[in-house]
Amino acid sequence: MFRLEVRTSTPAWFNLALPLLAVGATLVLCSGLIALAGAGVLEAYGVMFTASFGDSYAITETLVRAAPIIFTGLAVAVAFRAKFWNIGAEGQLLAGAVASCFVGAIPMPGVLAILLMAIAGAAAGAAVALVPATLRVKFKVDDVVSSLLLNSVIYYALMALIEGPWKDSFSGYPISPPIEDSASFPVLLEGTRLHLGVIAALIAAPLIWFLIVRTTLGFRIRVTGESPEAARYGGIHVERVLISTALLSGALAGLAGVGEVGGVHFQVMSDISPGYGYSGIVVAMLARLNPLGVVPAAIFLAAVMTGAEAMSRATGVPAFLSDVIQGTALLAMLVALLFTAYRIRRVGAAA
Amino acid sequence: MSAVFEQIFQVGFLAAIIRIATPLAFATLGEMFSERAGVLNLGIEGIMLLCAMTGFTAASLSGSLWLGIVAAVLTGMAMGALHALFTVALGLSQHVCGIGVTLFSSGLAYFLYRLIFGQQSVPPSIKGFQTVPIPILSDIPVLGPAVFNQFALVYMAIIAIPLAAFVLYRTPWGLSVRMVGENPRAADSAGVSVMATRFQAVILGGALMGLAGAFLTMAQFNAFTFGVVSGRGWVAIALVVFGRWDPWRSAGAALLFAFVDALQLRMQASGLGHIPYEAFLMLPFIFTIVAMAVMSRNAVAPSALLKPFRREER
């Protein structure tokens, strides 16, 4: 007989073991779909791996893809730490993209342009995240639903812009005018797309980790998330912490949009984010809300996305496998997290 | 100005409202059952997409539209059961699971569709449901041709609304659903199985989401495209809140949204729009967010929404 027993503490190696378990389970489960498509499982995964890590160019492409997911992953991780349920990283990303595109289209010296784009994008994302946070603090409105619904509002606002005032009057395409050449992010490696935003994402992760683990604000965020009553008792202004968390989270998601405009697309279109905001939730959960863990988790998802296209070309397995992997990984991780709350104990023999 | 009104408000306009409202009514009722039992199902967007795909595929391969409906409903029930397994049986966080279910089901829908139909320049289509005029009733001026000359699925939706209200408010099972959503501890003491009731409500909700998805690919568009659902699941989430978790009000909210949507389509078509049509599409979301603030959501929402129930934790 086995029995579930409530766990009081979790060993540190769980932080590494659980995501690996979840990813492993995901790859095994999804191999069924590869077999269904009539391809060799190992061959398909092999092609995916080579296409995303096989040479230095492939690695830079994977990193470029990972950058926005690192930012949205950090945004979600910070928010969930305070139990501010920000499902709105997608909308905050789009707001950041639109704001930075506005700024980037104004002629000015490059360094200034990039700086102002980042500030504008972060501010726009923060402003969007402020809405569900304020509604929760002032009116006790559930933040899950309000932040989710805002995604649609922001999406339609973006569509109204690119099909209205921003519409390319020459070609008639619903795309924004491009940003100035001087405002596009410098490329760090000749012949690749490895832009400044990628480095910013890689630096942001340890900075956010430091903020959460070593600063007063981080302490307040953690206590508010773990026990709001204890936080209040300890003199922490919980409402203020939730607002600060929302601003920080929204700003990070906004920066994801800035990087896509400044470093990848140089303009805004309707599909500028293929769901990076939702990928952020996957990544944050895989990382167990640890900002440092967000980086490898985001690189994993990015590798799956870039690898899936090559796999599709080589084996005929639809590239949408990457979407299935993403969803399965999130669900598998949630199940794996049960091991942190419970342990399985063998209690005697049945007879 | 009156000419404009005449152009906009015709029989065709009324019929369009009913058609737009139908999938929303199914989806909203489905989400409502789930939430009344205490389970938020954010998987709705993906479940609708997957059901739209399986329904279309089954109909296309078998040649039978009703077999497609069965496939879509079964798919919805299976995905409902999956969401319930995670959130009810395992007690995992409902919102994150819901996003997981949406990501998983939409990914699966895209993958299987591409696998079965390949990449075609023109998406394959089927001969979808045809309108069935109801004798006598369809002869009523204006209302008749708009409401009583519709697809069979539209009639099902019209019947589903009072039926849902009856089931929720007048049957023992409906009482159990409301109890486990409001106070699972008390329901448990009264001998109601919280887990079984929640499972049943989420699975029923999934079946209704299946009908919503099936309507899109088998009556409205007669083809499956990757954007066929395009946020209708999120609209349903908003409509449930806006309709205060009540079948009649939720259906009314669906009708109201359908009116706004139909109006927006007309204005776009007639070239009258100085207002961008996106402004209309935003409305249900903005209204709902404002409504949540005004009515202070927690007062009317099922008390146990988002809260897993574990019997041993007293």
Side-chain angles (χ1 to χ4, degrees), chain A residues 162-337:
Chain A
I162 58 178
E163 290 194 343
W166 264 0
K167 188 170 181 167
D168 191 335
S169 54
F170 198 66
S171 68
Y173 284 126
I175 45 174
S176 78
I179 57 172
E180 291 283 316
D181 281 343
S182 59
S184 50
F185 289 2
V187 169
L188 304 172
L189 267 177
E190 192 85 22
T192 72
R193 298 198 296 168
L194 196 75
H195 59 87
L196 187 67
V198 181
I199 303 304
L202 292 173
I203 294 172
L207 283 181
I208 296 298
W209 175 83
F210 184 83
L211 185 141
I212 293 285
V213 178
R214 293 270 188 272
T215 66
T216 326
L217 176 64
F219 173 74
R220 287 182 179 144
I221 288 176
R222 282 180 289 137
V223 177
T224 299
E226 275 153 33
S227 166
E229 294 81 21
R232 271 204 192 87
Y233 187 74
I236 293 174
H237 200 307
V238 170
E239 286 73 25
R240 211 175 287 166
V241 174
L242 283 173
I243 297 285
S244 315
T245 309
L247 290 174
L248 180 60
S249 172
L252 286 164
L255 286 175
V258 176
E260 291 306 284
V261 169
V264 181
H265 299 293
F266 313 110
Q267 59 190 176
V268 171
M269 60 286 213
S270 65
D271 58 350
I272 187 159
S273 164
Y276 286 143
Y278 301 107
S279 305
I281 298 174
V282 183
V283 162
M285 293 312 288
L286 280 176
R288 295 204 62 202
L289 308 187
N290 182 333
L292 291 179
V294 162
V295 176
I299 290 176
F300 163 69
L301 276 198
V304 167
M305 289 176 195
T306 31
E309 284 150 26
M311 175 204 66
S312 179
R313 281 192 298 274
T315 64
V317 179
F320 296 111
L321 186 71
S322 68
D323 299 82
V324 186
I325 289 180
Q326 205 175 154
T328 313
L330 177 54
L331 293 173
M333 185 61 194
L334 288 169
V335 174
L337 284 173

